[in-house]
Amino acid sequence: MKRWPVVLLLALAASSSPRAAGVPEASGKVLLIIRDAKVTAPAALELMITKEAGVMKAMLEDAGYGVEIASPTGEPWGTATLALKPDRKLSEVDVAAYVAFVIPCLGIESEALHPDLAAVITAAVAKGKPVAAQNGGVLMLAKAGVLSGKHYSAQVPLHLPELEGGIHSGRDIVKDGGILTSGTCPWMAREDPNTVDGTSKLTAALIAELRPPTLHIQNQ
C-alpha cells in the first residue's frame, strides 16, 4: 500500500478557514464523496482539490457543518504534494448519520458508477437527504437513476436509459426537490474562459437547502 507523508493528509483541512464570527453552530455532518479512487487526470487534481473540494469543505464548515470524506477504497487520493484523506469507505457509510451529501467532479474522467456509491445515492434520496453534485458527479446521479423525470444541470443533455424523462436545464445551478446540480467545475472554467465555475454557487445552494428561511412573526 502506498505510504503518504502526514503533511499531505492534512493539506485539505489546512485550507479551511475558521467559522466566521457570529455564524451559529449548525447541527449535522455533510459527506463529501470521492467517486473514484483512480487518478485519470493528474494535471487537474491539485486544482480540483483546492478550488472545488477545498472550497466546498471550507464553505460548509464556515456555515457550521462538519464535513467528512468517503471513497470506494478509503485510500488517500491526489498527487505527490496534495491529497484528500477519506474518513471511511463508501461501504461503511451510514446514510442516516449525515444531513447532506456532495459529489464533486474532481476532474475524474471515469464514467463508471461504483456499486457502493450507487447504494449511498439511492439511500440518501430515498430518505429525503439533500444531495449536491457537480459536472462528473451529476453523471453519477443520472446513472443511479435518481434524476429520472427531474430537471438537472450538465454540460450537455445526458442520454442514458436510467435518465428516462430527465430534463436538461442548462449548466447553471438547478434544484429539483432535494437534488442540486451544477454543470460546470473549476477545470472547465480554466479550459474555457467563457465558462463560470459553479462550485461556490452550488455549495451556497446546498447550505440554503439545509437552512430553511426563518419565519418572522410581527407583533400586532
Side-chain angles (χ1 to χ4, degrees), residues 111-113 118 138-147 160 162-163:
E111 296 185 354
L113 174 63
V138 177
L139 179 61
M140 299 300 102
L141 298 186
K143 291 201 165 196
V146 300
L147 294 184
L160 298 169
E162 300 91 342
L163 195 61

Side-chain angles (χ1 to χ4, degrees), residues 7 14 47 67 87 127 129 138 147 163 181 185 187 193 210:
V7 66
L47 173 71
V67 178
D87 296 285
K127 290 180 180 293
K129 306 272 186 173
V138 177
L147 294 184
L163 195 61
T181 52
C185 67
W187 184 253
L210 289 169

Side-chain angles (χ1 to χ4, degrees), residues 177-204:
I179 297 178
L180 301 95
T181 52
S182 165
T184 60
C185 67
W187 184 253
M188 287 181 64
R190 173 176 169 174
E191 294 296 293
D192 180 1
N194 295 317
T195 296
V196 178
D197 173 24
T199 301
S200 294
K201 286 181 66 176
L202 178 65
T203 310

